[in-house]
Amino acid sequence: MLIRSAAIQDIPAMCDMLDALRLESVWGTIPIEPNVSYAEAQLIQMIYHPRQLILVAEAESNFSMLHGDLIGICAADLTSHRLLPGLTYMVEWALYVKPSCREMGIGKALWREAVQWAKTQGAYGAAYGRIASRRNKTVVEEMVWHVFKNE
C-alpha cells in the first residue's frame, strides 16, 4: 500500500469513497442527494490549499484490488480556535477504507500520516470523529480531541 497526497486524477475514486462514507455514517440519514459537480470543485480546491490535506491509500500488488486502485482516503483541515487564534489544530472530516480492505491497518496508517502533516504545520492537536458502535446498523459517533504537542 502506498499513502500519498491526492491528485486531480483521483477525484472520481475519491467521490465514490466519500459517497460510501456518507451512506455508512450518520450523514446518510440526511435526505439530501450529493452534488457531484460541487464535490469535485471542492476537492480540486482542497488538493491545492496549503491548510487542507487529502491523503489516499493506493493498492499495490499484495492486495486483491488492482494495482493503483484507491482503497482509502483521509481528509483534514487546519483551523484556528475561534477564541484563541494562536491555537491551530487539525480537524479530520473524512477517513474511509473500502470494506474489502478493512482490518489491515490502512485507516491507522492514513491517520498517522495526517497527524504527521499537522505537526509539521505547527498544529497543537486534532479533533476527529470516531464510530463508537455499529449495533443494529445504528452508527453512534463521538468527537475526540487529541493533543500531540508534547509527543
Side-chain angles (χ1 to χ4, degrees):
M1 166 194 56
L2 170 70
I3 295 178
R4 60 174 175 78
S5 294
I8 297 295
Q9 66 266 22
D10 299 325
I11 289 178
M14 290 190 306
C15 284
D16 289 345
M17 286 189 289
L18 292 171
D19 193 46
L21 172 62
R22 177 185 67 85
L23 294 173
E24 289 183 29
S25 71
V26 68
W27 300 108
T29 63
I30 300 170
I32 297 174
E33 288 301 313
N35 181 330
V36 176
S37 60
Y38 176 79
E40 289 173 345
Q42 291 296 307
L43 290 170
I44 290 169
Q45 287 181 349
M46 287 180 241
I47 287 171
Y48 294 110
H49 197 289
R51 291 179 60 88
Q52 296 178 331
L53 175 72
I54 303 177
L55 295 171
V56 292
E58 186 177 298
E60 293 184 320
S61 57
N62 58 335
F63 285 94
S64 60
M65 312 294 277
L66 293 175
H67 182 82
D69 281 355
L70 297 187
I71 54 177
I73 185 171
C74 180
D77 299 331
L78 289 179
T79 190
S80 295
H81 190 280
R82 296 194 190 287
L83 301 177
L84 304 169
L87 178 64
T88 299
Y89 61 97
M90 179 179 74
V91 178
E92 169 267 319
W93 59 266
L95 180 56
Y96 181 79
V97 176
K98 287 185 174 180
S100 63
C101 299
R102 292 180 183 163
E103 303 296 324
M104 297 180 189
I106 297 167
K108 287 179 183 178
L110 284 163
W111 176 250
R112 279 192 302 269
E113 288 290 323
V115 166
Q116 187 58 40
W117 169 78
K119 286 179 179 180
T120 64
Q121 302 299 310
Y124 181 80
Y128 60 95
R130 181 171 62 194
I131 296 173
S133 172
R134 287 188 180 268
R135 291 186 204 127
N136 301 323
K137 297 185 179 180
T138 301
V139 178
V140 178
E141 297 195 36
E142 61 181 334
M143 203 60 174
V144 178
W145 174 253
H146 176 76
V147 176
F148 43 72
K149 206 55 164 169
N150 295 321
E151 290 181 356

